[in-house]
Amino acid sequence: MEAKVFPLTCAPPLISPSLHVRVGTFHFFSKRPVGAVLRRSISKEEPLLEGMPKEYYDDEWQAQQREKSKELERLRQLEDEEEERKIEEYREIGLRLKGYPEEDVRKARKLVSSFIRAEEEVEEKIEEAAEKGELDELVLMVIRNRLDLARRDDEKDAVRSLDLLYRRVEMEILKQEATPSMRLLNDLLNMHDGFDDEDWLKECKKRMIDTFPREDPFSILVPAGFDIDKHQGPLRPPLEADDVLLRVDFVREVDALLQEVRDEQNEAHNVEVFDPESVASKLKQQEKQRTIRKVEDLLELAINLKW
C-alpha cells in the first residue's frame, strides 16, 4: 500500500502582519525623579502601603533622607581614613626595630616585660640589669614603642607607668655612661630629702671629703690610709687607680654643665606664650631652676671644701 503525500499549497501565516506591534521606549518628561512620579501615581490611585510612613511619599522628606545618607557616607569615609592612619602608625612603630638583630630584640622585650611585672621591685630589677650591662638603646626603643602604642590607644594608666619606666631606664643608662664627676653629682642630688637644705649640705660635705683625695703635698706623696697628723699607717706604695676623682675635675665639669644649662634657660625665656603646652613647659623650667640652684650650692661647697 503506498502512502500518498498531499502538499500544502496555501499555508496561512501564523501571525497576521496587521497584528505586528512596534515596541518602543516610554519617556517621562518630568522634572521630578521617576520614583517620585511613580509614588505620586501610587499615592493617588492606591492606599498607602501597610507599615510605610506618610513621609515616604513626600519629595522633601526623600531629599532630607538623601542628605542624611550623604552625611553618613562622609562620616564613614572619615572613620576609614582615621583607621588607615592608625594602621600606618602601628606599622611605622613596628618597623623601628627592624634594623636590630631578632635575638637582641627578643631579649630586650623580655627584659622590659620583667620590669613591668616587677611592680614595686622595678628599681632593683633596673639596677640589677645595669650591673649586668643589659641596658642599652634597644631597651629604650622597646619601651618607647610600648609607650607610643599606649598613647594611640589612649591607655592613660599604661602611658604614665611606661613614661616613668622610660625615664628611669634612661637615667640609669646615662649614669653608666657618665663621668665620675657626673655620677657623684647625681648621687649628691639624690641625697636631698626635699626639706632640709642645711643637713643635706653637711652630708654632701662628708661625702666629698671621703671621695676627693686630700690636696696637700704630703697626701700626694704618701699612700691612702696613712695618718699624716700621727704619722701612722701603711707605707706600701698605692696601686694605680683609674677611678680617682680629683676635686678640680669635679669643679670643672660641674661648672661647664651649669654654663650649658644657663644658655638653654636664656633661650627658653625669650619665648612668652601662654598655651597649655607652654605653661607645662614653664613649670618644668621652674623645677629645673630649683635643681640648678642645688647644683650651684654643691659647686660652691666643692670650691671651698676644706679637710
Side-chain angles (χ1 to χ4, degrees), residues 57-113:
Y57 300 96
D58 183 67
D59 290 343
E60 183 177 354
W61 185 82
Q62 290 289 336
Q64 292 176 356
Q65 298 308 306
R66 286 193 293 271
E67 289 299 324
K68 290 181 180 179
S69 298
K70 290 180 182 179
E71 180 64 17
L72 291 175
E73 178 64 21
R74 186 184 69 83
L75 294 176
R76 186 191 64 79
Q77 185 175 359
L78 289 177
E79 290 178 358
D80 291 344
E81 292 175 357
E82 178 66 16
E83 186 69 20
E84 183 64 26
R85 184 185 66 81
K86 288 184 178 181
I87 293 174
E88 185 63 28
E89 289 177 351
Y90 293 147
R91 187 180 297 112
E92 179 183 350
I93 292 173
L95 290 176
R96 291 176 184 171
L97 303 176
K98 189 175 181 180
Y100 295 93
E102 293 184 5
E103 182 64 20
D104 293 345
V105 173
R106 187 185 64 80
K107 290 181 179 179
R109 286 174 172 168
K110 185 177 179 180
L111 181 62
V112 172
S113 297

Side-chain angles (χ1 to χ4, degrees), residues 223-278:
F226 184 83
D227 191 338
I228 297 178
D229 298 328
K230 297 181 180 180
H231 298 280
Q232 295 178 355
L235 292 175
R236 59 182 181 272
L239 299 175
E240 292 294 332
D242 296 333
D243 58 348
V244 174
L245 177 60
L246 299 178
R247 182 177 63 136
V248 63
D249 291 335
F250 179 81
V251 171
R252 174 178 53 80
E253 291 190 38
V254 172
D255 183 64
L257 175 65
L258 282 173
Q259 186 59 46
E260 181 180 349
V261 173
R262 289 191 189 105
D263 294 340
E264 295 178 358
Q265 290 280 320
N266 293 333
E267 293 179 2
H269 285 316
N270 294 333
V271 181
E272 289 292 339
V273 188
F274 296 99
D275 57 276
E277 184 176 352
S278 299

Side-chain angles (χ1 to χ4, degrees), residues 163-174:
D163 184 62
L164 290 175
L165 178 61
Y166 184 92
R167 293 174 183 273
R168 182 62 184 85
V169 173
E170 183 182 36
M171 185 180 70
E172 194 67 32
I173 292 176
L174 292 175

Side-chain angles (χ1 to χ4, degrees), residues 111-129 165 168:
L111 181 62
V112 172
S113 297
S114 69
F115 292 158
I116 296 174
R117 292 194 302 268
E119 297 181 355
E120 291 83 1
E121 300 177 356
V122 65
E123 288 285 340
E124 291 78 3
K125 288 286 186 180
I126 292 175
E127 292 176 359
E128 181 182 348
L165 178 61
R168 182 62 184 85

Side-chain angles (χ1 to χ4, degrees), residues 12-239:
L14 297 176
I15 300 176
S16 174
S18 61
L19 297 179
H20 283 219
V21 179
R22 178 175 296 179
V23 180
T25 305
F26 292 98
H27 298 276
F28 291 90
F29 298 97
S30 174
K31 295 183 179 179
R32 292 180 296 175
V34 176
V37 175
L38 292 177
R39 285 195 296 274
R40 285 297 181 183
S41 62
I42 292 173
S43 64
K44 291 179 180 179
E45 298 175 2
E46 298 179 6
L48 296 178
L49 296 177
E50 184 178 356
M52 299 298 293
K54 293 181 179 181
E55 294 85 354
Y56 178 76
Y57 300 96
D58 183 67
D59 290 343
E60 183 177 354
W61 185 82
Q62 290 289 336
Q64 292 176 356
Q65 298 308 306
R66 286 193 293 271
E67 289 299 324
K68 290 181 180 179
S69 298
K70 290 180 182 179
E71 180 64 17
L72 291 175
E73 178 64 21
R74 186 184 69 83
L75 294 176
R76 186 191 64 79
Q77 185 175 359
L78 289 177
E79 290 178 358
D80 291 344
E81 292 175 357
E82 178 66 16
E83 186 69 20
E84 183 64 26
R85 184 185 66 81
K86 288 184 178 181
I87 293 174
E88 185 63 28
E89 289 177 351
Y90 293 147
R91 187 180 297 112
E92 179 183 350
I93 292 173
L95 290 176
R96 291 176 184 171
L97 303 176
K98 189 175 181 180
Y100 295 93
E102 293 184 5
E103 182 64 20
D104 293 345
V105 173
R106 187 185 64 80
K107 290 181 179 179
R109 286 174 172 168
K110 185 177 179 180
L111 181 62
V112 172
S113 297
S114 69
F115 292 158
I116 296 174
R117 292 194 302 268
E119 297 181 355
E120 291 83 1
E121 300 177 356
V122 65
E123 288 285 340
E124 291 78 3
K125 288 286 186 180
I126 292 175
E127 292 176 359
E128 181 182 348
E131 292 176 358
K132 294 179 180 179
E134 296 175 345
L135 299 183
D136 53 16
E137 181 185 355
L138 180 56
V139 176
L140 279 179
M141 185 67 70
V142 171
I143 300 175
R144 180 188 169 191
N145 279 10
R146 285 177 173 259
L147 178 59
D148 288 344
L149 289 173
R151 283 173 176 163
R152 281 160 176 75
D153 294 338
D154 198 24
E155 299 177 0
K156 296 181 180 180
D157 292 339
V159 168
R160 285 192 291 268
S161 300
L162 290 170
D163 184 62
L164 290 175
L165 178 61
Y166 184 92
R167 293 174 183 273
R168 182 62 184 85
V169 173
E170 183 182 36
M171 185 180 70
E172 194 67 32
I173 292 176
L174 292 175
K175 183 178 178 181
Q176 288 180 338
E177 299 175 350
T179 62
S181 296
M182 293 297 102
R183 287 199 293 269
L184 176 60
L185 176 62
N186 183 69
D187 293 341
L188 295 175
L189 290 173
N190 289 332
M191 288 170 58
H192 197 288
D193 60 0
F195 299 100
D196 196 333
D197 290 347
E198 185 176 352
D199 288 344
W200 170 64
L201 288 174
K202 289 181 181 178
E203 294 297 323
C204 290
K205 182 177 180 178
K206 292 179 182 179
R207 176 71 180 273
M208 288 182 180
I209 290 175
D210 294 338
T211 302
F212 302 139
R214 298 183 64 170
E215 297 173 353
D216 56 84
F218 294 102
S219 63
I220 296 176
L221 295 175
V222 299
F226 184 83
D227 191 338
I228 297 178
D229 298 328
K230 297 181 180 180
H231 298 280
Q232 295 178 355
L235 292 175
R236 59 182 181 272
L239 299 175

